[in-house]
Amino acid sequence: MTGIVDTVKGLVRGSSDVLTKIEALQDAAEAGKGRLDRVVLSEAEQIVDRAGQRLRMSGDLTVVALAGATGSGKSSLFNAMTGLDLAAIGTRRPTSSMPLACVWGEEPAGEVLNWLGIPRRHQVQHRSSLEEQHSEDLDGLVLLDLPDHDSTEVEHRLIVDRLVELVDLLIWVVDPQKYADAALHNRYIKPFASHSSVMVFALNHIDKLTDEQRKSCLTDLDRLLKADGLKTPTVVGTSAVSGAGLDELRNLLVKRVSNKRAARERLAADVDRVADRMASQCGNAKTPEIAKSDVTELVDALAEASGVPVVVDAVRRSYLQRARAATGWPVTKWLGRFRPDPLRRLHLDQGAKQLGKAARKSASNEVSIARSSLPAATPVQRARMDTAVRTITNKAAAGLSRPWADSVRSAVRRREESLGDELDQAVARTDLGASSTPGWWGAARFLQWVLFLVALGGALWLAALAVFGYLQLNDPPLPRWNDIPYATLMLIGGVVLGVVVSLACRLFASNGANRRARLVARALRAELEKVADSHVVDPARAELDAYTVCRDKLAIARR
């Protein structure tokens, strides 16, 4: 039904109010899809569609229907108001059970009558001799004589039911003996109580009543109509025989036809009726808000359940281990190779490679992040996570009507089912810096190798001197510094400086490991915040946004 109102906006003038109401009902129904009762939503769609069709037609025509039960005298009243003799047009109207339309004026009514389903043989263009002097006042009136609403023929009742939904103004013709008929009140009047402004009740055959009886019947009918929910019912006493009340009824029609508002008033009443039904389901509570503190608690619970502390500690230890292997004393650092990398043990050492793969294949959605080997969440951790989810869900649904509260819970529940796997994937796809190498590691490695080679050179020099002494050969010239041989300085200095550099690198590595751990903790938390949003917060907020639209649009539709 989207776009129906837009289609008719440029075709209809002077109906901005009803267009606003129809558009608001359309938006409310769209927002309520899948949440509110499907029958009510279907009725709203039908009204929007029907309103679009009616507004596209001539706004200068006013369709009025005479409806009533068997013996109410509506056909006689139709004859008296139109000046027609239905018996004289029997060839066009084979039975009195089919609707007949009489059109005043020269305004083309074919499109409207086709929409109403009135065959051409049941249409007449005529001016009443009883109101010839006021004929122009009724130009644009389309008066229908409907079948009996209590007919034993199902087809006749279906025709009445359909046209009652379509006409701009209804004149219910009742007689003094059956105006309290339960079928009329329960089937047509009570369900359309909001249509009081587009319904008129003609108590016919008042010529058969005394003045006191006439007054009593009119008063009682007014009471019954108010009991049905009509705030200000319009009741007229009429008689097709004596002509009593016909002028009053005709003047009422002249007024309705001249202001050309009957169609818009009928559509507005239709919108009000279904909007009231939708509003009773939707409610008008203030939209709940999801507190930031509750989201923070959820992310904390997700972090604990997904093993973020374990990962952060593994990142810190992995950094230290790799830093020592890269910057340690060359003679001893090889021993660290026998220690397994903490991230590799958790299958989290391929972060950078995974991200590179994701970047290359994101367009084709072929990325599949491998699962980690993180320990499963404990029952306590699971309970904390479930509690955090329930807290957000319950607060988001607090105060809402049953359909919207259930919708909020269902939306979160659908996404919550995959929460566990998504947490593991969030950790696995986070770049933990497992393959990144700080620049100072290379400088430290180069310096360590220089110091190692200096110490090694000193050691070899001293070894050569020992060999010369063992072979009783003359010692080669030995350079000295303050009586200390350079060879000794090279050996001792290389070893001592290597150890000092190793200790300094350990200090820098510890700071770097802590910094990397903090960065990874923030990155992991950012990923978990995305998971919390996509699986809990966003589904709940989407339902709350839809509720807000539905509630606010219904408020406009019911004005």
Side-chain angles (χ1 to χ4, degrees), residues 4 12 28 32 72 81 88 141 158 217 244 247 289 295 308 325 333 350 352 415 419 435 437 447 478 496 511 520:
I4 290 178
V12 184
S72 62
M81 295 179 65
L141 171 64
L158 292 177
C217 287
D247 287 340
E289 295 183 359
V295 178
V308 167
K333 71 177 184 178
Q350 298 297 318
R415 296 290 292 156
L419 187 57
S435 59
T437 303
L447 179 58
L478 188 61
V496 171
N511 292 333
V520 167

Side-chain angles (χ1 to χ4, degrees), residues 176 179 203 206-221:
Y179 66 80
L203 181 65
I206 61 171
D207 58 295
K208 299 179 181 180
L209 303 176
T210 64
D211 291 343
E212 183 177 350
Q213 290 174 333
R214 182 185 313 163
K215 181 178 180 181
S216 177
C217 287
L218 289 172
T219 301
D220 192 46
L221 176 57

